[in-house]
Amino acid sequence: MPYINENYLKLSAGYLFPEIARRVREFAAKNPEAKVIRMGIGDVTEPLAPACIEAMHKAVDEMGRRETFRGYGPEQGYDFLREAIAKNDYAARGAGVSADEIFVSDGSKCDCANILDILGHRNVIAVTDPVYPVYVDTNVMAGLTGPADARGEYGGLVYLRATAENGFVPELPTAQVDVIYLCSPNNPTGATMTRPQLEKWVAYARKHNSLILFDAAYEAYITDQSIPHSIYEIDGAAECAIEFRSFSKTAGFTGTRCAYTVVPKALRGKTVTGETVDLHRLWTRRHTTKFNGVSYIVQRGAEATYTDAGKQQTKALIEHYLANAAIIRQSLTIAGLKVFGGTNAPYCWVQTPRGAKSWDFFDHLLGNAHVVCTPGAGFGSAGEGYVRFSAFNSRANVIEAMKRVAEKL
Ligand code: MLT
């Protein structure tokens, strides 16, 4: 019998979204007539942009002909996609990221987890609370934390509270931390970090030789012109930050799978004996050893998001989801709830009525309105008393769900 990774036994609960799915399945089995509307997991509902479909069809045809067939591609991604990303997502915003600092992958969730492969075991790690659970759970699995306490918080992690009082953007840590996970626009709160706030974090990281793991998977939802889309829009960030980006929420690729991570060549880490090491080199080594690249067909689809037609069509998708978010915000506010986020993000973070616990309110809405949200407590103890509504849905479903929620509050 093999020994297991006992760190898994420290995980205080099942992964949030399968647990929600389990409760919904159980409810649906008992109430087959109920028309359940899912506003829990942030999964896109609208079809891929025609420009992507056209590019993927063309790529499929290429794969069917000997002259244009391709086998293994470059592990880091094809140059055509890396160059399109560098030009459109970075150069166009005045951020100097070169194509060879971009690593194409099958998802930001995987990259956020995999990045721990190249980091040591002595780091003090900070996460926000509430937080996208993947950041925490993967640290637990890698053995970088102690056990969970009664609140479900793991020993050794530094929790930075994001509350209504601080606009859901936490204060800087008061002591040295080596690795900091930041997510803007934020999952789950929908809060965004302003330029001055990001400058403060970059200054902290540079002063303390910390590494920021910046999750910008929702950057395409930023409507406020003054809010940076990338941490590299801040001077000095290339020396202290890794950025995760995805086509999932931007172009509807949750099922198609394509994302990328930027590891700047200027980034350094150190060995326990104090030797300086280039993180780009380590990530290249990891990526080329453990990954064989995203399929050619999918990368052609992702590239198509940067054509004129692709830009227009993906913008329309984002506008659709943002208009849903506006409906959620407005409906729940009129119904008397306190709603945050949803203007630069596809998530609305909603205070539960009468101080209800998150999971109780989740059960109430599922049982009475047949609407699924995500309990805030699933994102950390500071999420207790909140639920998250995802704007990823059809317009008709959002309107119907909001009507039902208002009636059943
Ligand atoms: C969410 O609902 O928080 C997202 O689906 C998470 C993810 O993208 O993995």
Side-chain angles (χ1 to χ4, degrees), residues 15-17 40-44 108-109 132-134 187-188 215 217-218 246 248-249 254 257 347 374 379 388 390 392:
Y15 187 54
L16 177 60
F17 295 104
I41 193 163
D43 192 6
V44 293
S108 281
K109 173 161 121 177
Y132 178 43
V134 170
N187 180 8
D215 184 347
Y218 299 96
S246 173
S248 282
K249 312 298 160 89
T254 54
R257 310 308 306 154
Y347 296 125
T374 305
F379 297 101
R388 189 194 77 176
S390 155
F392 293 110

Side-chain angles (χ1 to χ4, degrees), residues 39-40 188 328 332 337 346-350 361 365 371-374 387-392 401-402 405:
M39 302 179 80
I328 299 169
L332 297 181
L337 297 181
Y347 296 125
C348 292
W349 188 239
V350 181
F361 189 56
L365 287 187
V371 171
V372 182
C373 59
T374 305
V387 291
R388 189 194 77 176
F389 281 88
S390 155
F392 293 110
M402 289 303 104
V405 169

Side-chain angles (χ1 to χ4, degrees), residues 349-399:
W349 188 239
V350 181
Q351 206 166 48
T352 60
R354 301 170 292 278
K357 296 259 189 210
S358 310
W359 278 105
D360 291 345
F361 189 56
F362 166 90
D363 286 334
H364 171 81
L365 287 187
L366 177 59
N368 295 284
H370 308 165
V371 171
V372 182
C373 59
T374 305
F379 297 101
S381 60
E384 184 55 277
Y386 289 88
V387 291
R388 189 194 77 176
F389 281 88
S390 155
F392 293 110
N393 223 311
S394 66
R395 183 63 39 80
N397 271 354
V398 170
I399 292 170

Side-chain angles (χ1 to χ4, degrees), residues 162-373:
T163 60
E165 288 67 45
N166 58 27
F168 299 102
V169 177
E171 305 303 327
L172 293 174
T174 46
Q176 165 78 28
V177 301
D178 304 307
V179 179
I180 307 153
Y181 289 83
L182 294 177
C183 176
S184 176
N186 190 265
N187 180 8
T189 66
T192 40
M193 296 176 78
T194 62
R195 179 174 288 277
Q197 284 166 336
L198 272 175
E199 281 169 354
K200 229 168 59 172
W201 280 93
V202 168
Y204 172 92
R206 285 168 58 110
K207 179 160 171 228
H208 294 81
N209 288 316
S210 322
L211 172 66
I212 296 175
L213 298 176
F214 192 72
D215 184 347
Y218 299 96
E219 59 76 32
Y221 290 83
I222 295 173
T223 52
D224 180 335
Q225 303 273 339
S226 70
I227 294 172
H229 288 231
S230 164
I231 197 159
Y232 305 120
E233 289 176 51
I234 309 298
D235 283 344
E239 282 139 50
C240 65
I242 287 175
E243 181 164 290
F244 303 101
R245 291 266 193 120
S246 173
F247 293 92
S248 282
K249 312 298 160 89
T250 314
F253 273 50
T254 54
T256 312
R257 310 308 306 154
C258 197
Y260 61 89
T261 289
V262 178
V263 184
K265 287 191 222 137
L267 265 188
R268 299 286 177 270
K270 64 176 184 223
T271 65
V272 288
T273 53
E275 191 194 333
T276 299
V277 179
D278 172 0
L279 289 183
H280 181 274
R281 182 164 67 82
L282 296 192
W283 186 246
T284 304
R285 186 71 173 83
R286 189 242 163 239
H287 206 70
T288 50
T289 305
K290 294 197 177 183
F291 190 59
N292 259 338
V294 172
S295 96
Y296 172 69
I297 298 160
V298 169
Q299 291 193 59
R300 281 296 186 198
E303 181 197 24
T305 64
Y306 298 110
T307 60
D308 287 344
K311 280 180 189 170
Q312 267 178 30
Q313 293 160 4
T314 51
K315 188 164 168 274
L317 281 175
I318 288 158
E319 282 168 358
H320 165 80
Y321 294 126
L322 279 172
N324 283 349
I327 292 169
I328 299 169
R329 264 187 82 92
Q330 199 192 11
S331 314
L332 297 181
T333 306
I334 290 171
L337 297 181
K338 205 150 188 198
V339 184
F340 303 91
T343 47
N344 292 293
Y347 296 125
C348 292
W349 188 239
V350 181
Q351 206 166 48
T352 60
R354 301 170 292 278
K357 296 259 189 210
S358 310
W359 278 105
D360 291 345
F361 189 56
F362 166 90
D363 286 334
H364 171 81
L365 287 187
L366 177 59
N368 295 284
H370 308 165
V371 171
V372 182
C373 59

Side-chain angles (χ1 to χ4, degrees), residues 147-162:
D149 64 16
R151 279 157 43 120
E153 294 187 355
Y154 294 94
L157 287 186
V158 175
Y159 288 87
L160 307 169
R161 311 291 169 192

Side-chain angles (χ1 to χ4, degrees), residues 2-11 140-143 145-147:
Y3 294 105
I4 59 148
N5 176 352
E6 293 188 28
N7 296 310
Y8 277 64
L9 306 181
K10 285 189 217 155
L11 291 164
V140 177
M141 291 170 176
T145 72

